[in-house]
């Protein structure tokens, strides 16, 4: 089972749960499992094309899945998947 | 208008970071509780990883974000939001701030003029995705000797 860490701003869509246990074999399936369990997360995680939103990164351990095998990145028992919102801004 | 209680310890950390980073933007996370009243008890600076234009831009690494969530979890705190500074600009969120703003979080913005703090304001997205100002309530530490003594000089 992989553990998905839910970022604080999305926890109002997960009944305030900070993590979710997924049984799927890869990252994409695990995220779909999460959005099936908590449909309110879907619009904040995926864009209209079903891709992870521009300002969201998905990490397996400390590795961005873009540097691995994206959604096809395999997960196994004990894998930690983090949904990480990009934090940036500035005065002008 | 929602309220954000900012304890003196957290406020000091944020102001010190904003002034020492000047003329660049600083950034960090703040933590606390969000029960009846949203109360910030702790602020922790992180590195502004923006490589260019740091006088008007900030960016926090994904690793630092993950560490912030982990820190909150391990210490029984809630990650309440992000602070950053606006050197020589008002403490009002910009379009850049809005573009990547998240629901739920409070965003504390510090205006710094000539290396001194000019204003500390907090903002939060409303249901329409626009920033609304929060009322910042400064809370003195219960046993802060300086505050205690200064009360006799007023």
């Amino acid at each position: 089972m992989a553990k998905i860490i839910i970022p604080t701003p999305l926890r109002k869509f997960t009944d305030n749960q900070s993590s979710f246990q997924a049984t799927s074999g890869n990252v994409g399936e695990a995220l779909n499992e999460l959005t099936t369990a908590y449909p309110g997360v879907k619009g904040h995680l995926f864009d209209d094309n079903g891709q992870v939103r521009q300002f969201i990164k998905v990490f397996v351990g400390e590795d961005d899945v873009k540097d691995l095998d994206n959604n096809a990145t395999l997960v196994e028992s004990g894998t930690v998947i983090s949904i990480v919102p990009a934090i940036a801004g500035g005065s002008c | 208008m929602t309220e954000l209680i900012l304890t003196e310890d957290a406020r000091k950390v944020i102001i010190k970071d904003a002034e020492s980073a000047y003329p660049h933007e600083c950034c960090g996370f703040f933590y606390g509780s969000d029960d009846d009243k949203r109360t910030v008890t702790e602020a922790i600076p992180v590195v502004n990883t923006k490589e260019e234009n740091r006088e008007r831009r900030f960016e926090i690494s994904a690793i630092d974000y993950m560490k912030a969530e982990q820190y909150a979890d391990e210490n029984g705190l809630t990650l309440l939001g992000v602070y950053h500074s606006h050197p020589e600009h008002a403490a009002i969120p910009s379009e850049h701030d809005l573009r990547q703003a998240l629901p739920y979080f409070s965003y504390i913005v510090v205006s710094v003029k000539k290396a001194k703090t000019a204003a500390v304001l907090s903002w939060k997205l409303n249901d329409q995705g626009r920033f609304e100002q929060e009322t910042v309530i400064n809370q003195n530490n219960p046993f802060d000797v300086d505050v205690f003594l200064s009360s006799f000089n007023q």
Side-chain angles (χ1 to χ4, degrees):
Chain A
M1 282 185 118
K3 180 181 181 184
I4 302 177
I5 305 293
I6 315 294
T8 302
L10 296 188
R11 289 179 193 169
K12 72 176 188 176
F13 305 109
T14 62
D15 297 335
N16 216 29
Q17 298 301 306
S18 60
S19 64
F20 175 78
Q21 295 290 343
T23 57
S24 304
N26 68 40
V27 167
E29 291 169 357
L31 294 178
N32 284 332
E33 210 178 314
L34 169 69
T35 58
T36 299
Y38 298 109
V41 173
K42 193 170 186 178
H44 294 275
L45 186 56
F46 298 124
D47 63 21
D48 293 341
N49 298 317
Q51 303 298 309
V52 172
R53 285 190 171 279
Q54 182 186 0
F55 295 129
I56 299 279
K57 292 181 178 179
V58 178
F59 274 64
V60 168
E62 293 196 349
D63 296 314
D64 190 331
V65 295
K66 287 182 178 173
D67 299 327
L68 301 172
D69 210 3
N70 285 306
N71 280 350
T73 302
L74 297 177
V75 296
E76 52 194 35
S77 180
T79 298
V80 176
I81 301 170
S82 297
I83 298 168
V84 183
I87 308 288
S91 61
C92 59
Chain B
M1 194 181 278
T2 57
E3 291 183 347
L4 183 80
I5 298 171
L6 184 58
T7 59
E8 187 65 17
D9 283 349
R11 185 182 173 87
K12 280 179 180 173
V13 169
I14 292 170
I15 286 175
K16 183 180 178 185
D17 193 26
E19 293 182 354
S20 61
Y22 183 91
H24 295 148
E25 293 198 3
C26 72
C27 50
F29 294 103
F30 49 89
Y31 310 82
S33 60
D34 196 24
D35 302 324
D36 290 344
K37 295 179 179 178
R38 180 169 285 203
T39 303
V40 179
T41 54
E42 191 172 353
I44 299 181
V46 295
V47 174
N48 177 358
T49 57
K50 199 76 184 168
E51 292 182 353
E52 295 178 334
N53 300 321
R54 284 192 295 143
E55 69 284 352
R56 59 188 178 90
R57 289 281 189 279
F58 82 96
E59 187 175 65
I60 294 176
S61 75
I63 295 294
D64 276 343
Y65 182 85
M66 288 191 285
K67 287 180 179 174
E69 291 281 13
Q70 187 178 0
Y71 180 83
D73 188 45
E74 290 175 350
N75 290 278
L77 299 167
T78 300
L79 180 59
L80 295 173
V82 178
Y83 74 83
H84 74 285
S85 60
H86 282 180
E88 301 302 333
H89 284 83
I92 299 171
S94 68
E95 286 300 312
H96 295 285
D97 293 329
L98 179 62
R99 193 176 302 151
Q100 289 180 236
L102 298 159
Y104 180 79
F105 274 170
S106 292
Y107 288 87
I108 292 177
V109 184
V110 183
S111 171
V112 186
K113 303 282 177 70
K114 296 180 180 175
K116 293 292 179 190
T117 299
V120 180
L121 302 180
S122 185
W123 306 81
K124 191 178 176 189
L125 286 183
N126 63 18
D127 291 339
Q128 287 73 46
R130 298 191 185 94
F131 273 121
E132 280 185 3
Q133 190 173 346
E134 297 186 293
T135 301
V136 177
I137 299 171
N138 296 311
Q139 186 179 76
N140 293 325
N141 298 327
F143 301 109
D144 188 319
V145 173
D146 291 336
V147 172
F148 179 74
L149 291 175
S150 70
S151 67
F152 288 96
N153 298 323
Q154 292 177 350

